[in-house]
Amino acid sequence: MTRRARLTGLLVGLVALLFLGRWTAGVLTDHWWAARFSPGAAAFLTERHLLRLLLDLAAVLVAAGWFIGHLYAVSRAIGRVEIPRHVGNVEFHEAVTSRGLVLGAILTGLLLGMLVGGGASDGWATVELAWHGLRYGLSDPVLGQDAGFYVAQLPLWRGLHAYALLLTLLALTGTLTLYILVGAVRWMEGRPAINGHARLHLGWLLATLAVMLAWGYLLEPYELVAGIGGPLDPGLVRLTSFVSPALAGTALGAAILSAVWAARAQHTLLVAAWAILIAASGLGHYVLPAVAREREAPVAPAEVSRLFLHAAYGPDSLVEAAYPADTGMSGPPAIPSLWDREHARLAISPDTQALAALAPAVLRLDDGAHRPVWLGVVTRERGPAVLALADDRVGPTGAPLFYHAGDESGDTAASPRPDPLLELSRHVIRPGAPEFDLGPDALGGPVGAWPRRLVLAWTLQLGRLLGAMDPADRLAWHLEPQERLAHLAPFATWGAPEPRLLDGELVWIAPGYVRAALFPLSPRVEWEGTTVGAVRAGFVGLVRAASGDARIYLRGDADPLARAWGEIAAGTVEPAGTLPAEIAAEVGYPRELLDTQLGALEQGAFGRVLQRTGGEAGQRTPILGWAPDTSAAEWSTGIHRLGETGLAALLSARADQGRDVVHLWRLDSAATLPVPAQLARSWARFPLFTQLRDSVTANQGDFDTGAVRLARDGAGVVAYQPAYGRSADGRIALLWVSVATGDRLGAGRTMADAWQNLLGTSVATPPGRHAAAPTSDPLALAREWMQRADSAMRQGDWVRFGRALEALRQVLGVPARR
């Protein structure tokens, strides 16, 4: 063996050793991290690493062997290759031996194999799901395949076909180019000339290409039913079912004639075969579809199409009914939502960088009462804190109210001071957390001995682990809840984690979504920047902020796709029914999915006749509300008929113990309202509304209206819209509320004022005057805070005494002493 060969072998071995070492370090790091949650989770992540490695190795070996074989075949056609050399001023040509050509073919083939096959591991989820199998129990009415075939098996067949076609095209273009360069294929006397070796090689490559095309033609009917190419057209379905086998037969004929050409040099036969295939393909894909497109009866009855629609997007619990309105007068919303996300953010923390998370939640007080709030997690220098903004009430001047921690007697009160409800350690799991946490209080495992630290430092690229370490030091990573769940269960797409309080502990709850690119008889919608045929919420992710523990539960109403992944990752995903009741009560409706579901319903169940409606700014997203019993947040949106200005239906969605509950209430003329955009324009014409807006802006403040809310009432639907003012120093307050029901409009400084104005029993409070609190009489409220202050003083709790005194001053309108 020459020195050059030994050096090349050593270099290749070193690269392989580095790759294997890096891979092994990554496997060990993930295994150690996941083992803190469960042995099954560690085993699943390890198996995933092994599957990805096998896929990459298989794809690289197949591609490398394919390219090496074709390059070797080309090298056999080369008679002599000379490389120019220079010695001093003398130039001479050195012949390259056949052994050098073979070595060059091997090295080039290996390089091409790594470039083409290196990303195969990205399709691990497709391979895993296809191997496991999937059944929905719904057979499409066109080809008779179960929906699970389109979700699990068809993507794998399409991926294999795309990879094989890519290898064939690269080999064909590459070898043809090389044969032209070496003169095996050339132009002589006005006609192409090709030697026998090159013709045999290219002929079999052309035959392989024709077989790949036939494979693709046979997949086309299934791709059409799966939603590729747009809505399913009956005429196109029948045409494709006929044309696809015909094109596949034509392609196989071209493959046979290409093989004949490779053996006998029948050039005319080859040109005729491929000309017929190209013409037939153009006719079948462009000309005939343009003629055969029909807008006739749908492929499947409406009932069958709706089954596929709900299987793809849900919700399974959608109930459609006429709204049971009586002839009485509507009342104000039992539990109004006075703050939306943007204005709640400004009330909790005007500094957008300091607010790590914000979500609506139900605060369960020590006395058993439930209060609708916005929970915000704010990052501060001394550590994060949880603030709870009351959503159904404000102070006498419209200022936001916050709940703070109760005392020994279990008292928890709403106060105008933004005091934390819960103080947190800076080591807790939270959005915006640092990439790593290294120290004795980190929520991770011990750094361990030097070999373990070397593995962790190599994988995490954390050089500090190689220095002197305290034996008590611990290392934690994946410190953001969404990142932690995504690494633990990468087969799901995880929604934004929402903060919840359970027994005084902060937990993060996030929905886990499963999606399918292909699904039969379902509308195509946009999801996370890509077009999909099915999206469902299948998992509930739970991360405890103080301990870092992560758990993933299968939802009780999970679809077959989510259940299949639950079986594949049995050690990571806990079965349906094991979700603790106290956690199930905190699971909200999967908010990110609701917009997608409504978009699918507009294309399917609504029959393109009904459409979502929104507020003044053309909003079409569902708006937050609260269930009458304050058990959960409830999202609602109005639906109207195209060309009409009145609401035709109201859709409400909420979660009940981890299961989705969705109602589509169809409204009659006695229970309807104008669309929110029209209501917003009518409210804006109130004279006092205009005066209030001008007064705020004249004082260098900002005046803004929130989205129009829709609430159900026994006699119909009630709409209301809060308006906010923000002073120059950043303080925000609720200044105005507009309401509507039936053909009545009203407005005022509070919900109570606005409703009285709607009934005609009062006039809206002019700007500059304080109205009563929306939920309490001022005298009763002052008496309550005086009692709290007296109780705190007797117990010597001066912090609580100061809060109560501050609240009492606000109620009485007494300015604080400076």
Side-chain angles (χ1 to χ4, degrees):
M1 182 180 293
T2 64
R3 179 181 179 184
R4 180 181 298 178
R6 288 195 299 270
L7 184 61
T8 302
L10 180 63
L11 182 61
V12 171
L14 181 61
V15 170
L17 184 62
L18 288 174
F19 172 80
L20 183 61
R22 173 77 181 190
W23 180 83
T24 304
V27 172
L28 290 175
T29 300
D30 274 352
H31 185 88
W32 293 332
W33 178 80
R36 297 186 62 244
F37 309 124
S38 70
F44 171 72
L45 289 187
T46 302
E47 291 170 2
R48 173 174 167 264
H49 277 290
L50 289 172
L51 176 60
R52 290 177 63 95
L53 177 65
L54 290 176
L55 289 176
D56 275 337
L57 285 177
V60 168
L61 290 176
V62 168
W66 174 261
F67 290 126
I68 289 173
H70 289 291
L71 289 172
Y72 176 75
V74 172
S75 69
R76 300 288 294 177
I78 301 175
R80 183 182 178 86
V81 176
E82 295 183 346
I83 300 176
R85 299 286 189 183
H86 292 83
V87 177
N89 295 326
V90 179
E91 177 180 337
F92 64 96
H93 291 78
E94 179 181 355
V96 178
T97 64
S98 59
R99 182 178 178 182
L101 291 176
V102 172
L103 181 60
I106 293 175
L107 294 178
T108 305
L110 286 174
L111 178 61
L112 291 174
M114 287 187 289
L115 291 176
V116 175
S121 60
D122 294 338
W124 71 272
T126 300
V127 175
E128 187 83 71
L129 189 62
W131 182 266
H132 180 272
L134 177 63
R135 286 193 61 82
Y136 277 80
L138 289 174
S139 296
D140 76 88
V142 181
L143 301 175
Q145 292 287 344
D146 186 86
F149 167 80
Y150 298 95
V151 175
Q153 273 74 38
L154 184 57
L156 179 61
W157 284 111
R158 295 185 74 236
L160 291 174
H161 171 255
Y163 187 63
L165 182 62
L166 175 64
L167 291 179
T168 303
L169 289 174
L170 289 176
L172 179 61
T173 54
T175 54
L176 178 61
T177 302
L178 290 175
Y179 279 129
I180 292 174
L181 291 176
V182 301
V185 177
R186 56 193 182 278
W187 197 266
M188 294 181 60
E189 299 179 358
R191 55 185 299 180
I194 181 171
N195 68 18
H197 181 90
R199 187 187 71 250
L200 182 64
H201 190 181
L202 294 174
W204 283 107
L205 276 175
L206 286 172
T208 305
L209 176 62
V211 172
M212 294 299 104
L213 294 177
W215 184 0
Y217 293 144
L218 292 176
L219 290 177
E220 286 181 357
Y222 300 99
E223 295 173 339
L224 185 64
V225 175
I228 297 178
L232 202 56
D233 183 272
L236 190 58
V237 169
R238 289 195 299 271
L239 175 66
T240 305
S241 299
F242 169 77
V243 169
S244 175
L247 288 177
T250 305
L252 291 177
I256 294 174
L257 294 179
S258 298
V260 171
W261 173 77
R264 299 188 178 180
Q266 299 289 331
H267 302 311
T268 305
L269 193 63
L270 177 71
V271 173
W274 281 91
I276 292 173
L277 177 58
I278 293 172
S281 181
L283 181 67
H285 288 114
Y286 300 103
V287 179
L288 292 180
V291 175
R293 282 192 179 273
E294 302 176 18
R295 294 300 174 189
E296 54 182 49
V299 174
E303 295 77 10
V304 176
S305 297
R306 185 163 299 192
L307 286 176
F308 280 90
L309 173 65
H310 289 308
Y313 298 103
D316 297 330
S317 59
L318 177 64
V319 177
E320 298 185 38
Y323 192 74
D326 57 32
T327 57
M329 179 63 189
S330 297
I335 304 175
S337 174
L338 301 177
W339 298 94
D340 55 29
R341 179 174 295 274
E342 177 60 24
H343 296 96
R345 179 189 65 80
L346 295 173
I348 292 176
S349 175
D351 183 7
T352 57
Q353 301 298 323
L355 191 62
L358 179 67
V362 175
L363 184 64
R364 291 165 172 80
L365 304 183
D366 296 333
D367 58 4
H370 294 174
R371 293 287 184 266
V373 299
W374 283 90
L375 280 184
V377 178
V378 180
T379 57
R380 305 174 305 173
E381 186 175 348
R382 61 179 180 274
V386 179
L387 278 74
L389 169 68
D391 191 44
D392 64 333
R393 61 193 65 195
V394 292
T397 61
L401 295 177
F402 298 87
Y403 292 98
H404 56 76
D407 57 17
E408 293 81 358
S409 63
D411 176 36
T412 304
S415 164
R417 294 183 53 171
D419 293 322
L421 183 64
L422 180 66
E423 301 275 0
L424 303 171
S425 164
R426 63 183 60 187
H427 300 283
V428 298
I429 306 298
R430 66 190 186 278
E435 187 176 2
F436 306 106
D437 189 11
L438 180 60
D441 298 322
L443 302 178
V447 294
W450 190 84
R452 178 186 172 102
R453 283 191 283 145
L454 176 62
V455 171
L456 292 173
W458 192 357
T459 303
L460 303 177
Q461 297 297 295
L462 191 60
R464 286 186 296 163
L465 290 171
L466 300 179
M469 301 293 300
D470 191 305
D473 282 344
R474 308 177 74 86
L475 174 65
W477 62 99
H478 300 316
L479 300 176
E480 295 194 10
Q482 193 172 19
E483 179 192 2
R484 180 160 288 216
L485 292 171
H487 199 80
L488 198 59
F491 47 81
T493 301
W494 291 96
E498 295 189 345
R500 295 288 190 271
L501 291 178
L502 289 177
D503 298 327
E505 178 190 5
L506 175 65
V507 299
W508 300 98
I509 296 179
Y513 302 102
V514 288
R515 62 182 180 179
L518 308 177
F519 202 91
L521 275 70
S522 72
R524 311 281 291 175
V525 299
E526 291 295 320
W527 172 262
E528 299 289 329
T530 184
T531 302
V532 298
V535 179
R536 294 291 299 266
F539 307 101
V540 174
L542 173 71
V543 179
R544 297 186 180 274
S547 65
D549 185 44
R551 290 288 183 269
I552 297 173
Y553 300 91
L554 187 69
R555 288 174 61 103
D557 55 356
D559 70 322
L561 178 56
R563 291 200 298 269
W565 277 115
E567 294 169 1
I568 294 171
T572 302
V573 178
E574 301 187 30
T578 60
L579 181 66
E582 64 274 13
I583 297 175
E586 300 291 343
V587 176
Y589 194 91
R591 178 63 186 82
E592 295 97 339
L593 182 59
L594 188 53
D595 275 334
T596 302
Q597 290 175 329
L598 291 173
L601 288 172
E602 282 181 338
Q603 299 182 51
F606 292 172
R608 302 178 183 271
V609 176
L610 300 180
Q611 194 174 70
R612 283 174 288 166
T613 186
E616 184 179 10
Q619 303 157 345
R620 299 180 66 197
T621 56
I623 302 302
L624 172 67
W626 297 98
D629 60 356
T630 329
S631 60
E634 185 172 279
W635 302 92
S636 62
T637 186
I639 297 170
H640 71 102
R641 296 184 183 277
L642 296 179
E644 297 184 5
T645 58
L647 291 179
L650 175 67
L651 187 139
S652 63
R654 66 186 181 93
D656 182 12
Q657 292 295 319
R659 291 180 178 271
D660 299 338
V661 178
V662 183
H663 283 89
L664 179 65
W665 302 106
R666 299 190 180 273
L667 306 175
D668 59 22
S669 57
T672 190
L673 278 171
V675 296
Q678 182 175 334
L679 284 173
R681 289 191 293 268
S682 299
W683 285 325
R685 289 195 292 266
F686 273 53
L688 290 179
F689 177 89
T690 306
Q691 294 176 30
L692 181 62
R693 180 183 58 198
D694 294 342
S695 174
V696 171
T697 54
N699 288 292
Q700 307 301 316
D702 296 325
F703 185 84
D704 189 24
T705 55
V708 177
R709 277 94 157 147
L710 298 172
R712 293 178 288 118
D713 180 79
V717 179
V718 177
Y720 61 102
Q721 182 184 42
Y724 312 92
R726 189 182 184 196
S727 62
D729 59 359
R731 291 178 299 169
I732 191 171
L734 176 70
L735 299 183
W736 196 253
V737 179
S738 304
V739 295
T741 184
D743 57 356
R744 291 173 174 264
L745 299 176
R749 292 294 300 271
T750 68
M751 178 64 75
D753 279 352
W755 197 258
Q756 293 300 316
N757 179 249
L758 179 142
L759 297 177
T761 60
S762 69
V763 178
T765 307
R769 292 178 56 187
H770 297 328
T775 58
S776 302
D777 176 74
L779 184 58
L781 192 61
R783 186 181 299 111
E784 178 185 352
W785 281 112
M786 187 63 192
Q787 292 173 350
R788 294 177 186 274
D790 184 62
S791 173
M793 184 176 64
R794 287 198 306 269
Q795 296 177 13
D797 189 344
W798 301 111
V799 174
R800 190 163 62 91
F801 175 79
R803 293 172 178 164
L805 185 61
E806 177 66 23
L808 180 62
R809 282 177 176 153
Q810 294 231 1
V811 171
L812 299 177
V814 178
R817 294 181 180 178
R818 298 184 180 276

